[in-house]
Amino acid sequence: MKADAVELAIIGGGAAGLFAAATARARGVGCVVIERKARVGSKMLMTANGRCNFAKDIPAERMLEDLGEPVAGFARNAVEACPPAAIAAALRDCGLRIRRMEDGRLFPASGKAADVVHVFGDLLREGEVPLLVNAPVEGVRREGDGFCVELRDFALRAGNVLVATGGMSFPKTGSVGDGQAFAKALGLRVEPCRAGLVGYNAGDRALSRLAGRRYESGAWARVEAGGRVVCRYEGEVEVEAWGVSGAAVYNCSRWVARHRPRGFTLRIGTPDGEFTLVNPEPRPLKEAIVTVGGVSLDEVDPRTMEARKVPGLYFAGEVLDIDGPTGGYNLSLAFATGALAAESVARRTRDAGAQKGMTENGPRVRAVRNLDGERVRRRGRGRI
Ligand SMILES: Cc1cc2nc3c(=O)[nH]c(=O)nc-3n(C[C@H](O)[C@H](O)[C@H](O)COP(=O)(O)OP(=O)(O)OC[C@H]3O[C@@H](n4cnc5c(N)ncnc54)[C@H](O)[C@@H]3O)c2cc1C
């Protein structure tokens, strides 16, 4: 007999939702992906200027160190279970050719983010995972032991729900803060959303004379607050007509967004001189690479990604109050938390099944096509 509720409804077909869907399918969990936009992975397509720096080739421990607290403490279980090497291996197993940069950043060898999104498209198709597009979810309600996922014209019943609706930057990609609203409506605390990894407006005349210059080497940015240097990054600095951007500046902005000092000074060093900006104004959240803030980490069990107060409700990716520096950390976080949520649902549904005297006999992903159209047979019931 067919069940009248899907085991897992995944809201959001971005990095976290897609990785979760592939993992859930490989674990035999029946799931559906519900995506607001006409296609999945819109934000992934624009990452690293369309090249998709999906991870950094470093051990889990180093990744956690770079994430810093409170993100590292929360993400430890997810990152240890699905470190960058596992993400790369999973994508490689699915036929993606990978290019490693000298500093360890990983990209598809083609330089096309679309190839990463295609891997997930193939996995979902081969696994026959139902995908609803043009389908903005409007609300999530508890109903009996499970949930009612409300869309405009109909509703879906689900035993478990994974909210993977992303942060609030680049709202045209579909991430507009719905997941944070669902969390609030279900009684969970949400930290205010603000721009992380973003540039700063600057009125500095000397700096504005360099507008249009991009320094890839010999440049740095640092933040001083409370009379000491709180962070310093070497790397790209770009001088814009409105101010400064580039990886070194972005990473500084992440520190400021997370720690919210009363006042701070941003110092920029370039081969053409040093510049000081006092309490510069960050660019708006809609332009940020990542959102700082989101579903409070206290509300979610880091061992499972399940809401502590709402059994069966899971969160993954940027909808949570997690963020990382530039360099592939944010996609890795989305993938790893998505995988952990799906694994947890698999465990939960298996336990529930065992209690009812059922045995696990889930379908498995049979094969995937690589990007040249060849079929790549999968070994066993792999992660994705
Ligand atoms: C310009 C730019 C460049 C970046 N470059 C990199 C990079 O190179 N490396 C890196 O690691 N990170 C990068 N990032 C960050 C990274 O893209 C995000 O952290 C990551 O995509 C977050 O994944 P997610 O699945 O949580 O959210 P998203 O990828 O934003 O996916 C959320 C999905 O949920 C859908 N959704 C939202 N609300 C609803 C609803 N109500 N109903 C149904 N669906 C809904 C959205 O349409 C969207 O498809 C970049 C970000 C930007 C903006």
Side-chain angles (χ1 to χ4, degrees), residues 221-225 228-232 252 255-256 264-266:
R222 73 170 190 242
V223 176
E224 294 166 11
R228 64 190 182 95
V229 175
V230 290
C231 66
R232 184 182 192 282
C252 285
W255 189 93
V256 174
F264 73 100
T265 302
L266 178 67

Side-chain angles (χ1 to χ4, degrees), residues 128 192-193:
E128 295 176 350
C193 290

